[in-house]
Structures are given as C-alpha cells and as structure tokens.
Amino acid sequence: MTSVAGQANYFRVEGGNPLQGEFRVQGAKNAVLKQMAATILASGEHHLHNVPRIDDVDIMSELLLSMGIRSEWAGEDHLVVVTPPASEIKPLAAYELVEKIRASVVVLGPLIARLGNATISMPGGDDFGHRPIDMHLAAISELGAAFSTSHGYVEGKAARLRGANIALEFPSHTGTDNVLMASVLAEGTTIISNCAREPEVSDLALMLNSMGARISGIGTSTLTVEGVPELRPAQHSIIPDRIDASTALGAVGMNQGEVLLRGARAEHMEMLLRKLGELGLEIRPDAAGLVARSAARLRAVSISSLPYPGIATDFLPILVAVLSTADGDAIVTENIFAGRFKYVDELRRLGANMTTHGHHVAIRGVASLQGAPVKATDIRAGAALVVAALAAEGESRVYGSGHIDRGYVDLPRRLAELGGKVERCSEAH
Ligand code: EPU
C-alpha cells in the first residue's frame, strides 16, 4: 500500500454502526520480522506461513535483498526466503532501510553469529522518543563480539561467538530476539536471564528449534541455549497477532455488536482479556478463536502497561480509545516508552476528555465522540484513532494511514467486512 508522491493517504470513517461477523486475525508482525531475520542463520529455502501482507514485511524483504537474500510470495500468506551460502551474504544494513523500520536492528545478532561481522545504521529516535540499543550491544558483547561506531553506523566483529551468562537489565523484546539469534550458533552454553517472555519471542525460539537450535526455557524469563555448529532452513507458521486481535476487541467494545476473532489465542493475552472483562466486554472462547460481544456502554477501569505477561504497551492506545467513551474515570499508565501519548491530543479532537500527566493519562469518559480529521503518528496510535472514529458521530478522516498499513493487513477492508464504514482515500496536497 505504498503512497504516491503528492497524494495524502487517509482512511475515511463514518461512525455509529454496530460490528457483526468474522475478523480473521493476521499473523504477528512482531514475530515475523524477527523470523525473517533468522533466515540469515541457514542457507537454503525457508518457508514461512501465516505471514501478514503488511508494509513492514515488504521493507524487511527489501533489507534482506540488499544483503543478497531473496524472498517472494508463494501464496496469500506463504513467504519463501532463499538464503545463499554465507560467503554471498553482504552484512550491511544501510541507513535508508533501517530508518524506515526499527525492527531491522534484529539482523545484527544473526549476521554476527553467521558471518562474524555486521555493520548496521544506528537506529534513531522515533515517535515514542528515545529508543537506544545499548542492551542489544552489551548482551552480544558478552558472547565475544566487539563493537565500534562511526559515521552513524555500528560495526560488530567476532570470531566464533562463545556461550556466556547474560542478564538483561530490562526484558527488552527485540534485545532478547537479537541475543537469542546471536547465541544459537555460539560455542557452548548461553543462559539469558531476565529475558522478554512475549509470545512473539517464544515463537522465534520455536522456529529456531525447528531449524536445529537447542533452546530450552521457552516462555520463561530464562532461556538456555546449547550452541550448534549449523542450522537448516525453516518451515514455520507464524502465531496470530495479539495486537491485531486487541484492535478488533476494542472496536467491538466501543461500537457494540458481536464478532468472531478467527485464530485469536486467549493464552497470549490473558491480562488484556481480564481487563476487558472488567470493562464489561463479554469474551468467550470458540473452537475457531474468540467471540467478543458488547451490548451496553463499558465501565471505566484503570490500566498500566508492563512487559509480558502484563498489559502490552501496544494495547494502550486502543484501550485509551475504548476508555474515552466508558462510563466513569480511569488513569492509564505507560511504563515502557516515555513519549507514547501523541495520540491523546488527536482523541481530544474527537471530543475525548483526557489529559496527560507525565506517563499517565487521566480519562473521564464522555457519552459520545464526534468525527473530525485526525492524524496517526505511529501504527498503534493510528489503529486507535480508526477504532475511536468508528464510534464517533459523523465522518472522520484518519491521516497518516501509511503508519497503519505498516502493521495491519488492510484494516479498512477487514473492518468494513464487519459492517464498519471505513474506506481508503487519497487527496492531492
Ligand atoms: N531499551 C533500552 N535499551 C535497549 C533496548 C530497549 O533502554 O537496548 C528500552 C526502550 O527504550 C524502552 C524499553 O526498553 O523504554 C522497552 O523496549 P523493548 O526493547 O522491549 O522494545 P522493542 O523491542 O524496541 C518491541 C516491539 C514494539 C513493542 C515493544 C514492547 C518489535 C519490532 N517492536 O519493541 O512494537 O511496543 O517491543 O513490547 O517487536 C509496534 O508493534 O508498533 C511496536 C512498537
């Protein structure tokens, strides 16, 4: 869904329709991007299934191609990645691509593991504020890599990495992915403690094991990796995207109706489901996924984000949108990223009554929102604005919709299939 120069892309949303039907939950963005990087670790033909057709996957494919690794679609959600012998891989992630997608930093671990050498553009800040990679570098250094930085690039070098005991200062999600991929080919045993436990990290570990890696403790906060000399290509089906599922849950909560979330896995979002239950959303398991039903105005409940199994920071924009029309007052606290509240001013443009205080938002639920032009500043903020606009009276235009396409498979189409009035538009500017 690439944009055309001179055209502003936006989603036009007409609010006020209950949602009914089936929402197919896409494959997880924050798993597949790392799993694509993991293909660096083994030569041959990798088959990834349940891959979401999103812009970030296309950018990751471009990055891999710039290194000599080709990927192509073999079906609607089947991506084939062909990794050449190590000697033909170019271990460079250039500024132009890293700047488009922060997740590209996860090529660092596999490149150093496989080639003993990697040069990547230092990721800059983004709309959440300062996002350093110091923990990634410290952890991979413990395996024996040496890093230097110059002209905006970080270069890592190592002979074969050696297993080590690594304690992460914070359970960083991509930090864990990176050090895990670095360690699978290391000599000896690596123990990574205080690691991230997100389902997407576990899915990466499962895929690595299917390639011949020896990782145990998957799903716990300590991963133990017995290094192996080489891996084979992957055959892997990506887990469903819990953030995509939360977007549909939020939309049902705000708009009422009943929707089957096909493929949603309750065990990946237990805390979220508990909170939504406290809000008054009815959610029940179904053989095909989860069914969400909402028949009345939701109740306000305070919420804080925490690393998994806590409420994910990525759920918060959706939850803040939902709370904007819930009955009562709530405080929402963001504990992961300092600057992640830019969407609050946009929700206020829709008539929400909320104010930020440092890393808290104080929300007083209003009876209804009114449609307005608003602007998405990142993927989840954009999705939250669409969800809120679906519940607002009249028409909204959500500009910056390119952010949403980075992480969601055609969100307008999937919401329109539920009866929501959302369409893709562009205008000259
Ligand atoms: N941090 C450091 N140093 C580091 C790494 C992280 O200080 O070396 C800090 C960060 O600044 C932040 C905190 O640690 O304050 C947590 O960051 P984490 O490393 O866990 O986040 P991430 O790995 O960069 C991933 C997801 C995000 C998601 C977060 C939290 C991917 C590609 N991104 O980011 O997803 O919000 O974990 O779960 O996996 C999104 O999908 O829209 C998105 C932003």
Side-chain angles (χ1 to χ4, degrees):
M1 307 279 167
T2 28
S3 56
V4 177
Q7 298 280 315
N9 293 335
Y10 65 94
F11 295 165
R12 200 182 79 80
V13 185
E14 183 77 41
N17 297 292
L19 303 179
Q20 300 286 344
E22 186 175 314
F23 182 88
R24 181 180 178 272
V25 179
Q26 67 182 53
K29 170 181 87 76
N30 289 344
V32 74
L33 297 174
K34 303 25 165 342
Q35 289 162 329
M36 291 173 75
T39 63
I40 294 170
L41 290 164
S43 299
E45 200 173 280
H46 304 261
H47 291 263
L48 301 181
H49 299 273
N50 201 28
V51 177
R53 289 215 182 205
I54 55 175
D55 287 356
D56 272 9
V57 163
D58 291 340
I59 301 170
M60 194 52 129
S61 292
E62 247 185 271
L63 176 65
L64 291 177
L65 186 62
S66 73
M67 298 179 186
I69 300 170
R70 284 183 296 112
S71 48
E72 63 181 51
W73 293 101
E76 181 50 35
D77 59 8
H78 174 189
L79 189 71
V80 179
V81 183
V82 182
T83 307
S87 58
E88 292 169 33
I89 299 174
K90 187 174 160 203
L92 171 71
Y95 172 78
E96 292 69 25
L97 290 164
V98 174
E99 187 264 334
K100 284 191 193 164
I101 180 175
R102 272 195 66 85
S104 54
V105 68
V106 293
V107 299
L108 186 64
L111 283 175
I112 294 189
R114 186 92 197 280
L115 309 173
N117 176 7
T119 303
I120 66 160
S121 173
M122 284 288 279
D126 67 9
D127 276 323
F128 306 166
H130 182 52
R131 287 180 75 182
I133 57 163
D134 54 320
M135 293 177 206
H136 301 229
L137 301 185
I140 300 173
S141 299
E142 303 244 23
L143 298 171
F147 290 101
S148 59
T149 49
S150 69
H151 302 284
Y153 279 79
V154 48
E155 184 177 2
K157 281 191 191 312
R160 188 170 175 204
L161 297 172
R162 290 179 314 277
N165 283 353
I166 300 169
L168 296 179
E169 196 179 318
F170 180 90
S172 160
H173 185 158
T174 48
T176 305
D177 295 326
N178 231 342
V179 67
L180 182 63
M181 288 190 278
S183 65
V184 286
L185 294 178
E187 195 176 335
T189 306
T190 299
I191 299 175
I192 312 165
S193 55
N194 196 29
C195 64
R197 298 165 60 187
E198 270 73 6
E200 297 78 17
V201 175
S202 299
D203 199 46
L204 171 64
L206 290 171
M207 168 170 145
L208 291 168
N209 275 355
S210 78
M211 295 167 73
R214 295 179 57 201
I215 304 165
S216 56
I218 297 173
T220 74
S221 55
T222 303
L223 290 169
T224 302
V225 187
E226 301 290 343
V228 295
E230 62 176 2
L231 296 177
R232 54 182 176 268
Q235 284 272 1
H236 186 77
S237 183
I238 284 87
I239 54 167
D241 194 315
R242 62 201 165 102
I243 323 287
D244 185 48
S246 77
T247 307
L249 289 170
V252 180
M254 282 192 90
N255 292 281
Q256 305 184 354
E258 181 165 325
V259 170
L260 164 67
L261 282 80
R262 181 168 291 280
R265 302 246 308 250
E267 70 273 25
H268 292 167
M269 44 188 180
E270 279 174 4
M271 206 76 81
L272 174 77
L273 298 183
R274 192 193 301 173
K275 278 288 171 191
L276 289 171
E278 286 173 30
L279 278 150
L281 185 65
E282 290 169 33
I283 303 170
R284 61 171 200 276
D286 177 277
L290 290 172
V291 175
R293 182 172 168 275
S294 152
R297 187 176 180 195
L298 299 180
R299 299 180 287 276
V301 170
S302 291
I303 299 171
S304 303
S305 64
L306 276 178
Y308 193 83
I311 299 274
T313 168
D314 292 330
F315 295 146
L316 281 204
I318 308 283
L319 291 170
V320 169
V322 169
L323 288 167
S324 71
T325 56
D327 189 14
D329 295 342
I331 305 281
V332 171
T333 304
E334 167 59 54
N335 290 311
I336 312 296
F337 291 111
R340 205 173 184 177
F341 279 143
K342 290 195 175 158
Y343 60 91
V344 166
D345 284 338
E346 301 300 307
L347 287 172
R348 284 154 54 107
R349 291 180 47 69
L350 296 172
N353 181 357
M354 50 180 72
T355 45
T356 53
H357 305 271
H359 65 128
H360 307 285
V361 197
I363 305 165
R364 172 152 295 172
V366 294
S368 65
L369 299 175
Q370 301 98 47
V374 286
K375 189 171 165 200
T377 48
D378 68 67
I379 303 174
R380 310 303 169 192
L385 291 171
V386 171
V387 165
L390 276 172
E393 290 163 9
E395 182 188 304
S396 297
R397 274 167 280 139
V398 181
Y399 287 95
S401 55
H403 286 292
I404 303 171
D405 287 331
R406 284 187 49 195
Y408 287 88
V409 175
D410 204 351
L411 193 60
R413 174 184 54 79
R414 290 188 297 144
L415 291 172
E417 282 168 6
L418 299 178
K421 292 217 160 32
V422 190
E423 60 180 4
R424 225 169 246 292
C425 300
S426 65
E427 65 189 26
H429 67 92

